[in-house]
Amino acid sequence: MTTVFDDLHSEHVAIVDVRSPAEYLAGHIPGAVNIPLFSNEERAVVGTAYAKNGNQRAVEIGLEIVGPKLSLFVKQARALGKPLIIYCWRGGMRSASMCWLFQTAGMDVRTIPRGYKGYRAWGLSLIAKPWNLRVVCGRTGSGKTHYLHELASRGEQVLDLEGLAHHKGSSFGAIGLPPQPSTEHFMNLVTQQLQKFMVERTLWVEDESRNVGSVSVPEVLFNAMQRAPIEKLDVPRNLRVQNLVADYGQASRADLIAAFERLRRKLGGDRCNQAIEAVSAGDMATAAELALDYYDQTYDYCLTKRP
């Protein structure tokens, strides 16, 4: 029996988030279009009225704000050209009122049980399923991401956490990538990806720490990764240096120097200065060698901590 959650990532429906722009920005169902019932400022006004004068006065103020915008909401929703699935925070008054409006305008509309909060709970239950994980390990520069992409091209199930997080998981990890999502939205992206997969098949994932840049891997997934079998890539150091030069050689020298500065305490002052001088001179191979002195030692230590 299918549920509204099964249709969330179907190309045949449009998902509409009727929460405020700030709520949407913090995290939303991937692919959802924001048609906010209230702006950030309007939501604050209604919330203040509710706190001071109760529900009835808040509803009155809300109606005064929303009334002039009803036709715009209908035009925005109709322009999507598909049946709608709409949600607010808890499946309450905002989504119910917008659902009534769109149905009155003749559109095919459904709501999400318990709203965004219900979606988040469903997503966590999906992440917590007994996935048949296989974790790809390897020292920095081993080409773990390329290996995963090759597996995906052969039809394997691959969860690319670094790709979803827009970060490669090191001091250099954000270079050349878009801004990271919030941890909240990162979990939504993981949910979207897992919904495409089958639990009984092998699910490949790269070994990660609890945090990938500024976002956190869902705890239940991280713990499962720690218990999973590993596939270790054993790549000679000279090839790893070549890989790093290929990946970062065209990056901004200022960005590379800033990344080394963040490692100054761990690298040591002399090695950090040598690495910065190498970057400034365009000697990316020497810079990569110096970075590996630190990352290899860290990786070997972390590997000993795996069960």
Side-chain angles (χ1 to χ4, degrees):
M1 180 179 178
T2 60
T3 68
V4 67
F5 296 114
D6 297 314
D7 294 333
L8 285 181
H9 304 300
S10 167
E11 61 182 16
H12 303 298
V13 299
I15 309 169
V16 177
D17 185 327
V18 301
R19 299 175 303 154
S20 68
E23 291 173 287
Y24 177 86
L25 184 62
H28 56 271
I29 298 175
V33 176
N34 191 208
I35 304 180
L37 188 67
F38 301 119
S39 68
N40 297 332
E41 296 74 20
E42 291 166 347
R43 179 170 178 261
V45 168
V46 173
T48 300
Y50 178 83
K52 290 184 176 180
N53 306 111
N55 183 69
Q56 183 174 342
R57 182 54 183 154
V59 170
E60 291 172 353
I61 292 176
L63 290 173
E64 292 172 2
I65 293 172
V66 169
K69 299 191 287 185
L70 295 182
S71 62
L72 175 61
F73 292 154
V74 170
K75 289 178 182 177
Q76 290 176 308
R78 200 185 301 281
L80 297 174
K82 298 177 181 179
L84 306 177
I85 297 176
I86 68 174
Y87 68 94
C88 61
W89 168 236
R90 288 185 297 186
M93 189 173 293
R94 286 185 289 179
S95 59
S97 59
M98 289 289 256
C99 182
W100 170 85
L101 175 64
F102 296 150
Q103 286 178 337
T104 301
M107 287 179 267
D108 182 354
V109 188
R110 287 179 289 168
T111 59
I112 295 178
R114 297 175 55 224
Y116 181 64
K117 190 174 182 179
Y119 167 78
R120 293 276 294 172
W122 170 79
L124 184 58
S125 69
L126 182 64
I127 294 171
K129 285 186 174 183
W131 296 96
N132 184 21
L133 291 172
R134 181 68 63 87
V135 179
V136 177
C137 298
R139 289 175 168 176
T140 299
S142 296
K144 297 182 290 293
T145 299
H146 297 294
Y147 183 75
L148 289 174
H149 290 174
E150 177 63 22
L151 288 172
S153 72
R154 299 184 182 191
E156 294 289 333
Q157 295 186 150
V158 172
L159 180 62
D160 184 359
L161 293 174
E162 292 184 355
L164 297 177
H166 298 165
H167 201 283
K168 296 178 182 178
S170 71
S171 179
F172 304 83
I175 294 176
L177 295 176
Q180 288 199 264
S182 65
T183 291
E184 177 181 318
H185 193 58
F186 174 67
M187 176 179 156
N188 297 341
L189 295 171
V190 171
T191 297
Q192 180 190 36
Q193 196 67 28
L194 289 179
Q195 193 180 10
K196 304 174 184 178
F197 296 151
M198 300 171 65
V199 174
E200 60 271 16
R201 290 186 57 200
T202 299
L203 177 61
W204 296 86
V205 64
E206 183 173 337
D207 191 24
E208 302 290 352
S209 61
R210 290 186 180 273
N211 297 317
V212 185
S214 63
V215 305
S216 300
V217 177
E219 184 175 6
V220 65
L221 176 59
F222 177 78
N223 290 339
M225 289 167 58
Q226 291 298 297
R227 297 189 299 266
I230 65 172
E231 179 102 353
K232 183 179 177 184
L233 303 186
D234 191 5
V235 180
R237 184 172 172 123
N238 66 309
L239 293 182
R240 292 189 289 120
V241 169
Q242 291 178 27
N243 288 339
L244 292 175
V245 171
D247 287 343
Y248 295 101
Q250 302 305 314
S252 158
R253 294 186 182 183
D255 287 344
L256 292 172
I257 289 172
F260 274 110
E261 286 290 359
R262 288 191 290 272
L263 291 176
R264 176 172 289 277
R265 183 177 62 83
K266 296 174 180 177
L267 274 176
D270 290 343
R271 285 185 178 277
C272 185
N273 291 336
Q274 292 172 27
I276 290 173
E277 290 173 4
V279 170
S280 299
D283 184 0
M284 299 304 172
T286 296
E289 287 275 8
L290 290 164
L292 288 181
D293 288 342
Y294 162 69
Y295 281 115
D296 283 358
Q297 182 178 4
T298 301
Y299 168 79
D300 291 345
Y301 172 79
C302 291
L303 196 62
T304 65
K305 297 299 181 181
R306 292 188 64 89

